[in-house]
């Protein structure tokens, strides 16, 4: 039943083969390089704050997952990390997980975020996660598009420059 160790290869609309697999400790250098290669805008949208340099905790959050309370999946094109998707259980509601995703600026609009979210949803369901909670900056239009396609039924709460979206996984599309 533990599907988080599975490697999944999918063909993108572009014809490229995307490999998705769980992050491991030995991925630290690749994850660091991925984060360092992100634009300041991509880091802002992911962390909701300017992040001028990659911090150890950013890499540890991805490569130090236990695959039960926290999960992180990596997307690879031609051997390079091009996307990271993560969930972490809510400490007060273990059936709910906070979710985040980031894709390299140079490969956006190829369906990588969609494929990561589909796979992350499958893994979360296996682990008993009922809902994803995403906190999204209001300027992050691509993520809102992804959420609309994935979760036609959802709850949204506005809070200043961010929106908290609750996505019921039982009704999430495409996963």
């Amino acid at each position: 039943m533990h599907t988080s160790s599975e490697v999944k290869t999918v063909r993108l609309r572009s014809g490229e083969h995307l490999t998705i697999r769980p992050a491991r400790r030995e991925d630290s250098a690749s994850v660091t390089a991925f984060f360092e290669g992100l634009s300041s805008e991509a880091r802002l949208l992911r962390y909701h704050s300017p992040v001028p340099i990659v911090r150890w905790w950013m890499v540890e959050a991805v490569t130090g997952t236990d695959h039960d309370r926290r999960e992180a999946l990596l997307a690879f094109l031609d051997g390079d990390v091009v996307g990271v998707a993560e969930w972490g259980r809510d400490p007060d509601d273990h059936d709910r997980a906070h979710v985040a995703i980031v894709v390299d600026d140079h490969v956006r609009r190829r369906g990588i975020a969609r494929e990561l979210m589909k796979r992350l949803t499958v893994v979360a369901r296996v682990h008993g996660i009922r809902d994803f909670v995403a906190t999204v900056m209001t300027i992050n239009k691509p993520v809102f598009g992804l959420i609309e396609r994935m979760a036609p039924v959802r709850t949204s709460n506005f809070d200043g420059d961010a929106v908290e979206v609750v996505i019921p996984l039982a009704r999430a599309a495409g996963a």
Side-chain angles (χ1 to χ4, degrees), residues 21-32 56-57 59-67 69-70 72 74:
R21 69 160 173 77
R24 301 185 284 245
R25 287 249 178 240
E26 57 268 22
D27 293 318
S28 291
S30 297
V31 171
T32 300
W56 69 268
W57 56 264
V59 176
E60 174 64 22
V62 173
T63 61
T65 60
D66 65 5
H67 309 291
R69 290 184 317 246
R70 292 183 15 231
L74 302 179

Side-chain angles (χ1 to χ4, degrees), residues 63-175:
T63 61
T65 60
D66 65 5
H67 309 291
D68 179 49
R69 290 184 317 246
R70 292 183 15 231
E71 180 63 272
L73 299 179
L74 302 179
F76 294 87
L77 279 177
D78 299 323
D80 294 322
V81 175
V82 295
V84 174
E86 310 165 65
W87 59 254
R89 286 187 196 268
D90 185 315
D92 298 321
D93 182 351
H94 292 278
D95 296 339
R96 180 173 277 199
H98 296 268
V99 65
I101 188 166
V102 63
V103 173
D104 186 293
D105 301 88
H106 301 99
V107 295
R108 288 190 182 159
R109 300 293 206 213
R110 296 187 195 180
I112 294 168
R114 184 183 70 246
E115 293 299 335
L116 275 167
M117 285 303 293
K118 284 168 50 176
R119 186 71 195 135
L120 200 65
T121 299
V122 168
V123 174
R125 285 177 177 158
V126 168
H127 288 283
I129 302 297
R130 180 187 74 243
D131 299 316
F132 275 159
V133 179
T135 303
V136 183
M137 293 185 75
T138 55
I139 59 172
N140 198 342
K141 305 273 187 255
V143 168
F144 284 113
L146 175 65
I147 290 170
E148 286 176 18
R149 286 186 301 280
M150 179 183 172
V153 177
R154 64 195 174 280
T155 306
S156 300
N157 299 306
F158 293 88
D159 183 19
D161 62 353
V163 178
E164 182 182 84
V165 182
V166 178
I167 302 166
L169 297 188
R171 303 190 64 188

Side-chain angles (χ1 to χ4, degrees), residues 14-43:
S14 63
E16 298 167 292
H17 288 92
L18 181 74
T19 301
I20 299 172
R21 69 160 173 77
R24 301 185 284 245
R25 287 249 178 240
E26 57 268 22
D27 293 318
S28 291
S30 297
V31 171
T32 300
F34 168 74
F35 283 137
E36 287 175 345
L38 291 175
S39 68
S40 57
E41 178 190 20
R43 288 190 207 163

